Amino acid sequence: MATISTFLSRPPSSRRSIPKLDSSPSSSSYASFPRSAKKRLQLRLPLRLARASQAQKSAPVTSDERVQQVHTIAEFEDALRAAKNRLVVVEYAASNSPNSRKIYPFMVELSRTCSDVDFLLVMGDESEHTRELCRREGVARVPHFGFYKGMEKIHEEEGIVPDQLMGDVLYYGDSHSAVVQLHSRTDVESLIEEQRGENGKLVVLDVGLKHCGPCVKVYPTVVKLSRSMADVVVFARMNGDENDSCMEFLKDMDVVEVPTFLFIKDGEIRGRYVGSGKGELIGEILRYQGVRVT
């Protein structure tokens, strides 16, 4: 769980500080390997990553991969601009990083299944242009992932594993699941009004924050339940720090920790669950609705 005041007491730029993992096995500095080691490791890189590290800008991207390699700040900004409000996932990698090699194939697989998300690759040791881009984006070690929307960075992770990457993509890029995305108090009130009366369903409102690890962790469960229980439960989500209206709603609902799940039936809040435990969440939903999860 995360306390809302903990996040809001820090400026947005520092809500997710990027530690230096000098001794961590999960990340590598893209400037710390000698040329001989770089050459040996490069021979074992996955084909796409090896091609990227050669800095051949004219080389075409393999047709079955939707990962776009960018070589300059201008190309990077053009890609973000072209994405408009779609989620853009950027892997900052290096040819001498074993962990970049490990995570990159998984990102390629995600790019094939997440058609509404754009994926970029930046090789930090490719040229002075990419080094400057990494410095500008605060990337000290790789693999490092940045998540962008509307030309702005909304999240970043370092030393990430496949399950975390998949969860982040789902949480920050979800636009097709049965979870209703709410962006204001008016959205919440409209949804509650729709579910009033004899035929109304239980509304499970997932309240979180943009940079909340437990919120990201539990969201795949929310998506899965939204599909299996669609006939009897409506799942919705709101990020309290999205705007003033959302934050005011959180205060009015006495939400002080996230994720908090509000259970609303016929216009009234019947209960709440604070936490990210899958079993506990399912149990609370059953308690307030009495349905069988399939």
Side-chain angles (χ1 to χ4, degrees), residues 1-4 7 16 155 157 163-164 166-172 174 179 181 205-223 236-241 250 255-261 273-278 281:
M1 293 178 292
T3 304
I4 291 176
F7 282 88
R16 176 103 184 151
H155 185 62
E157 293 272 10
D163 284 350
Q164 288 176 291
M166 181 175 65
D168 284 341
V169 171
L170 183 62
Y171 187 76
Y172 295 104
D174 180 32
V179 180
Q181 308 295 317
L205 176 54
D206 173 11
V207 180
L209 296 173
K210 292 179 182 178
H211 302 279
C212 166
C215 301
V216 176
K217 175 185 175 183
V218 76
Y219 192 65
T221 297
V222 174
V223 172
R237 177 177 72 159
M238 169 183 280
N239 281 324
D241 52 350
L250 262 65
V255 175
V256 295
E257 292 182 303
V258 289
T260 289
F261 293 87
Y273 165 66
V274 181
S276 58
K278 176 180 178 181
L281 174 59

Side-chain angles (χ1 to χ4, degrees), residues 221-288:
T221 297
V222 174
V223 172
K224 183 177 180 179
L225 292 175
S226 73
R227 294 165 179 163
S228 64
M229 305 178 73
D231 292 339
V232 289
V233 179
V234 174
F235 287 81
R237 177 177 72 159
M238 169 183 280
N239 281 324
D241 52 350
E242 181 173 339
N243 54 52
D244 291 341
S245 177
C246 293
M247 185 54 65
E248 191 64 32
F249 175 79
L250 262 65
K251 292 178 181 178
D252 290 347
M253 294 298 104
D254 295 323
V255 175
V256 295
E257 292 182 303
V258 289
T260 289
F261 293 87
L262 301 177
F263 304 100
I264 305 168
K265 183 69 175 179
D266 200 20
E268 297 182 1
I269 297 178
R270 303 294 177 86
R272 65 181 64 202
Y273 165 66
V274 181
S276 58
K278 176 180 178 181
E280 291 86 348
L281 174 59
I282 293 174
E284 289 299 300
I285 294 172
L286 292 173
R287 174 184 173 189
Y288 291 105

Side-chain angles (χ1 to χ4, degrees), residues 48 51-52 54-62 69 71:
R48 176 72 174 94
R51 288 174 178 169
Q54 294 169 4
Q56 295 178 346
K57 298 183 182 181
S58 60
V61 177
T62 306
Q69 187 187 355
H71 308 276

Side-chain angles (χ1 to χ4, degrees), residues 91-205:
E91 180 186 0
Y92 299 91
S95 59
N96 54 27
S97 167
N99 291 295
S100 293
R101 298 201 308 273
K102 290 178 182 178
I103 195 68
Y104 180 76
F106 188 79
M107 186 175 78
V108 170
E109 288 303 314
L110 277 179
S111 75
R112 293 168 178 163
T113 58
C114 301
S115 59
D116 57 342
V117 178
D118 292 354
F119 293 83
L120 304 180
L121 173 67
V122 176
M123 298 300 296
D125 57 352
E126 178 188 83
S127 68
E128 185 54 39
H129 294 295
T130 56
R131 291 186 183 91
E132 177 60 29
L133 176 56
C134 288
R135 285 193 290 268
R136 192 190 78 168
E137 295 300 309
V139 178
R141 310 193 70 78
V142 296
H144 182 113
F145 282 85
F147 300 80
Y148 300 78
K149 266 189 177 181
M151 297 288 291
E152 293 185 3
K153 185 189 294 183
I154 59 173
H155 185 62
E156 55 190 354
E157 293 272 10
E158 188 175 70
I160 198 170
V161 297
D163 284 350
Q164 288 176 291
L165 178 58
M166 181 175 65
D168 284 341
V169 171
L170 183 62
Y171 187 76
Y172 295 104
D174 180 32
S175 59
H176 296 299
S177 77
V179 180
V180 181
Q181 308 295 317
L182 305 176
H183 306 284
S184 67
R185 173 187 291 274
T186 301
D187 289 348
V188 177
E189 293 174 347
S190 296
L191 178 63
I192 292 175
E193 190 63 32
E194 289 174 5
Q195 299 305 323
R196 283 183 182 272
E198 185 177 339
N199 297 322
K201 301 176 183 178
L202 174 69
V203 176
V204 178
L205 176 54

